[in-house]
Amino acid sequence: MKIAVGSDHAGVELKKTVIAWLEKNGYESEDMGPYTEESVDYPDYAQKVALSVAGGLSDQGILLCGTGIGVSIAANKIKGIRAALVFNPEFATLARQHNNANIICFSARFTDEDTIEKSLRNWFTADFEGGRHERRVNKIEPCC
Ligand code: RB5
């Protein structure tokens, strides 16, 4: 499974933790930047990751910014993307099981490393449950 990973300057440090966790657990990852803590605009990196997932070049994506809000809003503008802002491992499980989310977003300023690692473990072990959730997910389309 190939995972696209991106952030803004606020998420650069924790992005390293995420990539190390992916490597340790046997996932191929692509770091889509940024690579320094120089100030950048989060939509640029959210769009890179989202386009990679939407275009099938990556199976799933991981995004980080200060709050996680900016990257999740930006990623969700790309057709086919269901980006979930996750604050704890339970959210990670439910975002996969109920929402079939394909990008997980974290707040780099309000989430600790342990929570991120446990959330990633849950994210990669939970599967979409389909059924009534599939009907609902299919209704998530731009409508106006
Ligand atoms: C950058 O200072 C900050 O605005 C950004 O990381 C993020 O929190 C936006 O949603």
Side-chain angles (χ1 to χ4, degrees), residues 2-72:
K2 188 174 168 191
I3 313 299
V5 189
S7 69
D8 71 355
H9 49 282
V12 163
E13 266 311 302
L14 265 181
K15 178 156 59 74
K16 292 178 191 163
T17 303
V18 165
I19 288 170
W21 186 93
L22 290 171
E23 271 173 23
K24 193 172 127 197
N25 288 278
Y27 297 98
E28 187 189 345
S29 66
E30 184 177 358
D31 184 350
M32 305 198 119
Y35 309 108
T36 72
E37 290 187 10
E38 191 181 328
S39 183
V40 294
D41 299 333
Y42 60 79
D44 296 336
Y45 296 91
Q47 284 161 9
K48 273 191 192 187
V49 168
L51 288 170
S52 177
V53 174
L57 298 173
S58 304
D59 299 293
Q60 292 185 356
I62 301 173
L63 283 166
L64 306 102
C65 69
T67 58
I69 295 171
V71 287
S72 58

Side-chain angles (χ1 to χ4, degrees), residues 6-7 29 34 46 71 104 115 129 139:
S7 69
S29 66
V71 287
I104 186 168
T115 300
E129 288 178 352
K139 289 184 176 182

Side-chain angles (χ1 to χ4, degrees), residues 50-105:
L51 288 170
S52 177
V53 174
L57 298 173
S58 304
D59 299 293
Q60 292 185 356
I62 301 173
L63 283 166
L64 306 102
C65 69
T67 58
I69 295 171
V71 287
S72 58
I73 292 173
N76 277 317
K77 293 289 181 188
I78 306 296
K79 190 172 166 54
I81 292 302
R82 292 175 300 279
L85 176 53
V86 161
F87 296 102
N88 59 49
E90 292 76 19
F91 272 44
T93 300
L94 290 167
R96 291 286 307 126
Q97 288 180 340
H98 289 191
N99 310 111
N100 201 15
N102 48 16
I103 296 183
I104 186 168
C105 303

